[in-house]
């Protein structure tokens, strides 16, 4: 028995085989087939992982085909520059410096036109500046004799590399000239350290500069001519798209809270996604900043001239985010367990929905202003309407105090009224009141958005909407009206019922 | 007269000189001195601009001396590698490939250890992988004859460059292997296009790899040995510092609202800065993400082992941000013009201050847990205390409804009571009620922070606080108590006064 146990711990399957056919089920698989099973499992896992990765990549490509186009553009540019230097006669002409053209294309080619131009110019000017400085240092070092040469070169590299690295920490330099500083350090070190004589250096510098200029020109041409992606246009679209998302989220949140149509609970998925659109606004700050930095390098394109006030988009984005913070807080009211009683909800639902739909139509109008780059003729009217409904909401809240106080119960006569109202405390109203006051805050932040966009419209000299077009748009605004659901006539009965 | 006018528009000062001495004041300055004045102004402007820039740079250095140290480290590494290759015998040894070592140092050296290691490994593996693939393509192309060679090389460069560029869009690749993909494209193109024969290529590849490895090793050594900045440590500090800021902002906001000590209005600047600390939390998402990415590359250091759960910091950061959004909304209550009447403020101030100070001491305790990496012994107690005060606040709000309803005025006997209470409507209470309910929401979000940090403590196996140390900390907690300002005994009279 002891022997058997000992053996079991060692080579289990042989012992079990000898024990009887009933126990030999597992070992019957055998050593080879076990390994085979293991390998199969491993392979299946690998295939699954790879296919998952490929699926993700495919989805990414389908989701934004411009990414695929960008890749093909990079491939084209590289293939062209590679073949250009692969042809022997040309290759001999520029010598080993051919690699600088290829390197330039690989490093400089970016997704947007602005980023590519920014990197190209940074590369050209960084190289030029560093080259001239390095010539000077190189000449001084070579004049000062064998002994001091390494000392001077080491000190120069140390000092200038340190200074250039430090400049990359300064925000204004980092935003626009980060890559230039890097290239400056690189070129300066390479030229200073190179063992060539100064006259040979000039020859090399000439070749190198020409290859870099060929590389950057090719990049700029390809990025601007084949399906160009302008950082400015992207920024413009991002802002107006985010504004639409903000409007939809605001509408969706308030509707969800009052669950107005009873429809939302059935189709849970679609509104959820719409509802969380404001999160895009919260997280798009860094994207906006980098797009603004790139947009400033771009020439006039489409509807944007060279002096387009890109910096103003920063303010528009900030005002949108400040609004999105409030929607976040609003959203927490919705998911909160502490819900207001139905009676209060009913009392406030109409006016709150009206405020939210008016506010969101202001945001949508502002988004349209940005999209079309035309000053809206109806924005003042919409803002006034929003302010009026906010005033109505405040009045409604005032009248709410008549509904809820317990002492009123003492004055009430009918038993029915007592049953409905006696249960309502201030504590129970709080969620609804919080929602209402957040809505009021949101509407004031929306006014800030309107102001920043008006400033943008003035700076960028947006044209006024043509009058005919304004008339065409009018139905658009009244189309929103049905969402507002009711005017004062339908509101009154609800109030009186309470 | 006409003649004079014509002349005036041309060379104004001569005419005016001839007109009489009374008009010759301006031209007396003369042409040269005018230019001199202009130049002086230009120069002064330039000097001012440069000195401003230098001042900003100096402040930056003083603010964070580690940035200066980083620059000196880059300078040192570059000077060392430059001199290493400047010495002729060595230079001849590795030929023109010396530049690869310098380039590696320039490009790979980053601020944090993690970033440097990440770039180094990406560079080494990207180069190796691309090198092997390129050898294959090069060999196939050279076997297929003069005609097909450019075709095969062009197609290979196009396909692989496109695919590698596309992989850079996939989030998981972008986060960790972005630089590797770039280097892959670069090396692949360079090696494929190079006109060398395969046996010469092997020789060159060997030299190039060795220079790259020398460069990366030097970078990693310098970055790890001279005043290392660990991304993990930075992340850890950032999170605990932000948590302290969150706690201070919460305290500051509520104190400012109730203007408790009357001191805040005098020293306006200091609390303002403290108050806006939550904005750091709102804007630190991208910093956190990049630090997490770098921290994953770092070896065990300080109190962090290799398998430290860096990903969990993402969750902690998210929970902090969700809390900061609410503080943003809270802050809007404070700056709002629509303020609650003093009476209501007085009624709620004590309990609200208590909630905020209890909440913020929970956050501070959690920050301490992260800072010391020891499980707190008092956190459960503090959370319970926070929940209790939140419950008290809810009770207080319940009792508030007795104060404000107009019908109560009918029941009231004394004229004095009538005067004080008759003015209070629900509408006026709303700002205070909103503040209170935001405080309640904030406390629930703080609980979420506590949970994520507890998860972190379990994953990272934080040790429990030593009992003796817990005792030492106890006074620390009671030290906070005076800020809570009052318990129920002092709260009652305030209530009864109302």
């Amino acid at each position: 028995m002891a022997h058997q146990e000992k053996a079991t711990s060692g080579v289990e399957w042989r012992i079990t085989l000898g024990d009887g056919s009933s126990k030999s089920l597992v070992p019957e698989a055998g050593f080879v087939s076990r390994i085979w099973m293991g390998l199969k499992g491993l392979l299946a896992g690998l295939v699954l992982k790879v296919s998952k990765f490929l699926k993700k990549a495919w989805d990414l490509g389908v989701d934004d085909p411009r990414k695929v186009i960008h890749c093909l553009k990079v491939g084209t540019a590289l293939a062209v520059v590679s073949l250009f230097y692969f042809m022997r006669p040309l290759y001999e002409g520029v010598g080993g410096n051919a690699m600088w053209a290829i390197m330039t294309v690989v490093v400089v080619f970016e997704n947007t036109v602005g980023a590519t131009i920014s990197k190209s110019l940074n590369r050209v000017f960084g190289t030029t500046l560093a080259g001239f400085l390095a010539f000077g240092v190189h000449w001084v070092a070579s004049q000062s004799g064998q002994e001091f040469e390494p000392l001077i070169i080491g000190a120069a590299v140390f000092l200038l590399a340190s200074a250039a690295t430090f400049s990359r920490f300064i925000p204004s330099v980092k935003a626009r000239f980060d890559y230039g500083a890097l290239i400056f350090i690189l070129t300066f070190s390479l030229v200073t350290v190179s063992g060539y004589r100064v006259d040979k250096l000039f020859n090399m510098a000439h070749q190198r500069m020409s290859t870099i200029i060929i590389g950057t020109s090719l990049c700029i041409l390809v990025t601007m001519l084949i399906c160009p992606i302008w950082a400015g246009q992207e920024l413009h679209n991002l802002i107006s798209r985010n504004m639409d998302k903000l409007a939809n989220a605001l509408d969706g949140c308030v509707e969800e809270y009052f669950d107005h149509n009873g429809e939302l609970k059935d189709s849970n998925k679609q509104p959820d996604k719409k509802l969380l659109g404001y999160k895009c606004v919260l997280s798009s700050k860094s994207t906006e900043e980098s797009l603004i930095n790139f947009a400033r390098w771009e020439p006039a394109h489409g509807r944007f001239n060279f002096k387009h006030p890109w910096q103003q988009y920063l303010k528009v984005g900030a005002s949108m985010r400040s609004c999105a913070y409030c929607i976040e807080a609003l959203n927490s009211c919705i998911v909160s367990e502490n819900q207001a009683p139905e009676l209060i909800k009913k009392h406030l639902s109409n006016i709150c929905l009206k405020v939210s739909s008016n506010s969101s139509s202001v945001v949508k109008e502002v988004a349209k202003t940005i999209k079309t780059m035309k000053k809206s003729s109806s924005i003042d009217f919409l803002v006034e309407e929003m302010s009026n409904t906010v005033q109505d909401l405040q009045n409604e809240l005032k009248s709410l105090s008549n509904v809820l106080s317990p002492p009123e119960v003492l004055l009430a006569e009918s038993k029915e009224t007592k049953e409905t109202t006696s249960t309502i405390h201030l504590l129970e109203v709080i969620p609804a009141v919080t929602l209402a006051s957040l809505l009021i805050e949101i509407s004031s932040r929306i006014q800030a958005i309107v102001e920043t966009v008006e400033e943008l419209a003035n700076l960028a000299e947006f044209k006024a909407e043509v009058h005919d077009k304004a008339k065409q748009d009018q139905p658009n605004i009244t189309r929103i009206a049905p969402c507002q659901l009711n005017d004062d006539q339908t509101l009154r009965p609800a109030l009186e019922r309470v």
Side-chain angles (χ1 to χ4, degrees), chain A:
Chain A
M1 189 68 191
H3 170 78
Q4 197 183 358
E5 258 182 34
K6 206 175 165 191
T8 304
S9 64
V11 274
E12 197 186 353
W13 66 89
R14 277 193 201 167
I15 290 297
T16 340
L17 241 177
D19 236 35
S21 63
S22 62
K23 279 191 177 179
S24 63
L25 263 168
V26 179
E28 212 168 27
F31 185 66
V32 176
S33 63
R34 260 195 181 189
I35 287 186
W36 172 238
M37 293 277 279
L39 267 179
K40 226 164 107 177
L42 213 76
L43 216 79
L46 199 76
V47 166
L48 194 78
K49 232 175 177 174
V50 168
S51 68
K52 238 182 180 171
F53 181 82
L54 288 179
K55 176 80 178 52
K56 223 161 65 181
W58 181 263
D59 288 347
L60 200 76
V62 171
D63 214 44
D64 188 359
R66 292 185 313 169
K67 282 180 182 161
V68 180
I69 294 174
H70 169 68
C71 300
L72 299 182
K73 278 157 74 179
V74 174
T76 310
L78 254 181
V80 168
V81 82
S82 295
L83 289 180
F84 185 73
Y85 283 106
F86 189 69
M87 306 294 160
R88 295 306 150 96
L90 278 164
Y91 187 78
E92 304 299 338
V94 276
N97 288 320
M99 58 162 280
W100 290 102
I102 293 171
M103 197 179 277
T104 301
V105 172
V106 172
V107 178
V108 151
F109 210 110
E110 291 279 332
N111 201 5
T112 60
V113 177
T116 307
I117 293 180
S118 146
K119 275 199 150 178
S120 298
L121 294 183
N122 265 304
R123 190 172 182 99
V124 170
F125 289 114
T127 307
T128 315
L129 187 65
F132 277 112
L133 259 174
F135 275 149
V137 171
H138 197 275
W139 184 80
V140 168
S142 65
Q143 297 292 311
S144 56
Q146 200 76 1
E147 238 172 79
F148 290 104
E149 204 176 348
L151 262 182
I152 290 175
I153 283 183
V157 167
F158 175 80
L159 284 177
L160 273 157
S162 298
T165 305
F166 186 75
S167 79
R168 294 176 71 193
F169 283 121
I170 299 166
S172 54
V173 175
K174 187 171 180 61
R176 304 191 71 177
F177 306 112
D178 189 59
Y179 184 65
L182 185 79
I183 289 297
F184 175 87
I185 303 173
L186 180 60
T187 309
F188 182 79
S189 316
L190 284 183
V191 177
T192 315
V193 172
S194 73
Y196 297 110
R197 288 201 320 280
V198 172
D199 55 335
K200 219 178 167 189
L201 260 183
F202 264 109
N203 192 27
M204 197 185 76
H206 171 244
Q207 283 180 358
R208 199 163 288 183
M209 274 313 290
S210 67
T211 49
I212 287 180
I213 286 172
I214 288 172
T216 51
S217 315
L218 182 74
C219 284
I220 292 176
L221 277 179
V222 170
T223 195
M224 276 173 75
L225 295 183
I226 306 177
C227 306
I229 301 174
W230 301 93
Q233 184 70 53
E234 290 296 294
L235 173 68
H236 197 82
N237 294 348
L238 179 74
I239 293 276
S240 73
R241 202 166 56 232
N242 274 352
M243 230 171 239
D244 277 335
K245 277 182 187 167
L246 210 60
N248 288 333
L250 178 58
D251 255 351
C253 274
V254 179
E255 256 175 46
E256 170 115 352
Y257 184 75
F258 293 111
D259 194 16
H260 188 78
N261 301 321
E263 287 165 14
L264 289 169
K265 274 197 176 151
D266 302 330
S267 55
N268 242 344
K269 280 194 175 167
Q270 201 263 337
D272 252 2
K273 204 181 164 188
K274 208 173 123 187
L275 223 143
L276 296 175
Y278 69 91
K279 297 219 177 205
C280 297
V281 182
L282 289 178
S283 62
S284 63
K285 194 186 173 206
S286 55
T287 314
E288 280 168 23
E289 279 172 359
S290 69
L291 283 178
I292 286 170
N293 272 331
F294 295 142
R296 289 158 77 188
W297 292 91
E298 286 174 355
H301 61 277
R303 297 168 298 169
F304 310 104
N305 54 26
F306 184 64
K307 280 277 170 202
H308 195 77
W310 297 116
Q311 284 294 327
Q312 181 65 19
Y313 285 79
L314 216 57
K315 282 191 199 167
V316 177
S319 68
M320 279 163 65
R321 254 187 302 287
S322 122
C323 188
Y325 294 145
C326 263
I327 294 181
E328 227 278 342
L330 194 74
N331 204 31
S332 74
C333 289
I334 291 161
V335 296
S336 154
E337 291 161 25
N338 191 11
Q339 290 285 340
E342 280 307 312
L343 187 75
I344 299 294
K345 274 196 180 179
K346 245 184 218 160
H347 186 88
L348 285 175
S349 85
N350 288 333
I351 184 69
C352 281
L353 284 168
K354 207 174 165 187
V355 170
S356 81
S357 85
N358 278 5
S359 307
S360 71
S361 58
V362 168
V363 178
K364 276 176 190 159
E365 184 65 22
V366 170
K368 212 188 79 189
T369 301
I370 293 189
K371 225 174 285 166
T372 59
M373 295 184 77
K374 291 217 167 80
K375 278 179 188 168
S376 163
S377 55
S378 55
I379 187 74
D380 291 334
F381 167 72
L382 286 172
V383 168
E384 206 187 303
E385 210 175 40
M386 179 177 76
S387 314
N388 288 342
T389 44
V390 165
Q391 197 54 53
D392 287 350
L393 174 59
Q394 282 178 327
N395 293 337
E396 207 62 43
L397 287 172
K398 219 177 266 174
S399 79
L400 195 66
S401 51
N402 299 323
V403 183
L404 51 84
S405 52
E408 205 185 30
V409 181
L410 300 172
L411 303 171
E413 296 290 278
S414 75
K415 237 188 170 176
E416 208 196 61
T417 337
K418 197 176 172 179
E419 264 177 18
T420 47
T421 54
S422 63
T423 53
I424 300 178
H425 271 286
L426 177 66
L427 191 65
E428 293 176 287
V429 194
I430 287 175
V433 166
T434 307
L435 180 107
S437 69
L438 281 173
L439 271 178
I440 294 169
E441 177 66 27
I442 286 172
S443 76
S444 85
R445 292 189 179 197
I446 285 176
Q447 287 207 346
I449 298 182
V450 173
E451 278 159 28
T452 53
V453 172
E454 265 172 10
E455 218 174 300
L456 173 69
N458 290 333
L459 287 171
E461 295 167 7
F462 285 4
K463 289 201 180 73
E465 261 183 330
V466 188
H467 195 65
D468 273 5
K469 200 169 174 303
K471 265 190 182 163
Q472 275 175 9
D473 285 345
Q474 215 57 36
N476 220 353
I477 295 153
T478 46
R479 199 175 53 76
I480 295 166
C483 301
Q484 296 171 3
L485 287 157
N486 28 32
D487 45 24
D488 277 304
Q489 274 95 332
T490 54
L491 192 64
R492 279 303 132 205
L495 240 170
E496 274 151 33
R497 232 181 295 133
V498 179

